[in-house]
Amino acid sequence: MWFAEYNSDKIGVITPAGTVTEYAVPTANSAPVGIAAGADGNIWFTEFNGNKIGVITPAGTIIEYGPTGSNPQGIAPGPDGNMWFVERTGNKIGKITPTGTITEYPLPTASSNPVGIAAGPDGNMWFTESTGNGNKVSMITPTGTITEYAVPTASSNPQAITAGPDGNMWFLENNGNKIGTITPTGTITEYAVPTSGSHPYGIASSGSNVWFTEFSTNKIGEEITTTPPPANPPATDPDNPPPSTSAPTPTPHPEVPTTSYDPNPVASPDSSSSGSPSTPSDSKPLKTLNIANRRTPTPTPTLHNSNFVVVGLSGAAFVVLAGGVALLYRHKMKS
């Protein structure tokens, strides 16, 4: 599993046995944050402060592209073989080819602060618009047409998003303390997290259910996706009415690329160090929610502090970096 170290400007990899190797990002104070595997066999990441998109080979060679100039954050592989990313302060969606050509698409809503992005089963990329004028879950086609859907709960601050096993997209409402799901046609359903003030943050699908982290309460939550969804509660914001039983009729926004260029990448030599992880004295064990049919994972020793929260899956193993501590879990799938 590969992970980004926001504070220490490194990209790390951990083996199933727990051996950690770190590679320094060439740009100082780059703050790598988003990370995902590409179709080209490499690992791609965003540099929030460095304003660049980076790629690291399995052998540890890093190449940086950019700058994007707009605090790139989430990144994910697309169905077109490119990597797609969000530009938080630039208010754009970007894509980068395996050879480094970047194209950007401005969002229709100004100051919407996009954060998370993921490929959907419908062949499109789905992303969240978190704060400011955002509070939306949106979709962009491979050709750049954008459609936006308002989240029913006002100021819910949607963050991470992932494709669920039910054919829908699942996302987190950090301030709303809810887990949301949106169909390919834009119908949104919200589920309240049992623990109040948990601030859900990272989310991933295990292939049968959806798992998420609770930033403020040190818990792992599991959403049982086979349960019929409840009705939406009334909206608390007149500008964000609840969705009807039929799919909404959004206004599509045509492709408007603003930048397309071949950057001048700078390759860096391999820079690595390895060692066995140790357990910090101030770390706390994560707990599971009281959700039916849950399984309690067993943690192995913790890794390095890096102030980053994400959930990543690899078969029956997944990594959670919460409260600055990375933990490796093995989760046995339900039979």
Side-chain angles (χ1 to χ4, degrees):
M1 295 295 293
W2 291 77
F3 55 93
E5 299 183 35
Y6 184 89
N7 284 346
S8 56
D9 296 324
K10 295 178 181 177
I11 301 299
V13 59
I14 181 171
T15 68
T19 300
V20 177
T21 304
E22 298 170 303
Y23 302 91
V25 176
T27 300
N29 301 315
S30 60
V33 58
I35 191 166
D40 59 352
N42 297 318
I43 302 297
W44 292 76
F45 59 93
T46 56
E47 300 178 29
F48 189 80
N49 291 339
N51 289 310
K52 297 177 182 179
I53 306 300
V55 59
I56 182 170
T57 68
T61 299
I62 294 177
I63 300 176
E64 297 173 294
Y65 299 96
T68 63
S70 54
N71 301 118
Q73 190 162 350
I75 189 168
D80 55 355
N82 300 316
M83 298 300 293
W84 289 73
F85 58 93
V86 300
E87 301 181 31
R88 179 137 186 184
T89 57
N91 216 60
K92 300 173 185 176
I93 302 300
K95 71 176 178 182
I96 183 169
T97 67
T99 56
T101 299
I102 295 175
T103 304
E104 298 170 300
Y105 304 91
L107 297 184
T109 301
S111 302
S112 63
N113 295 294
V115 175
I117 190 168
D122 58 351
N124 300 312
M125 299 302 294
W126 289 78
F127 59 95
T128 56
E129 301 178 41
S130 60
T131 55
N133 297 325
N135 210 56
K136 299 176 181 179
V137 177
S138 303
M139 175 266 290
I140 183 170
T141 67
T143 58
T145 299
I146 296 173
T147 306
E148 299 173 302
Y149 302 93
V151 175
T153 299
S155 302
S156 68
N157 188 17
Q159 294 276 328
I161 188 169
T162 191
D166 55 354
N168 300 319
M169 299 302 292
W170 289 73
F171 61 94
L172 301 174
E173 301 180 34
N174 186 262
N175 291 342
N177 211 56
K178 297 177 181 179
I179 308 299
T181 179
I182 183 169
T183 67
T185 55
T187 300
I188 294 177
T189 304
E190 298 171 297
Y191 302 86
V193 176
T195 303
S196 62
S198 64
H199 295 100
Y201 201 90
I203 190 169
S205 171
S206 66
S208 57
N209 296 319
V210 174
W211 292 78
F212 58 94
T213 60
E214 299 180 29
F215 185 85
S216 298
T217 54
N218 290 323
K219 295 181 180 179
I220 301 295
E222 179 186 16
E223 182 72 38
I224 310 300
T225 60
T226 54
T227 303
N232 274 307
T236 56
D237 185 346
D239 294 329
N240 291 321
S244 61
T245 53
S246 59
T249 305
T251 302
H253 305 275
E255 173 182 357
V256 189
T258 58
T259 306
S260 182
Y261 58 94
D262 288 305
N264 183 20
V266 178
S268 67
D270 291 5
S271 174
S272 65
S273 62
S274 62
S276 299
S278 59
T279 305
S281 59
D282 59 348
S283 64
K284 297 180 179 179
L286 299 177
K287 301 177 182 178
T288 55
L289 290 171
N290 291 324
I291 297 179
N293 298 325
R294 75 181 190 276
R295 299 293 182 105
T296 305
T298 302
T300 63
T302 54
L303 311 179
H304 304 282
N305 290 339
S306 55
N307 283 350
F308 183 60
V309 181
V310 72
V311 175
L313 291 172
S314 177
F318 63 92
V319 173
V320 179
L321 287 82
V325 178
L327 302 110
L328 176 64
Y329 283 80
R330 290 191 178 276
H331 175 69
K332 183 178 180 181
M333 303 293 293
K334 294 189 290 292
S335 57

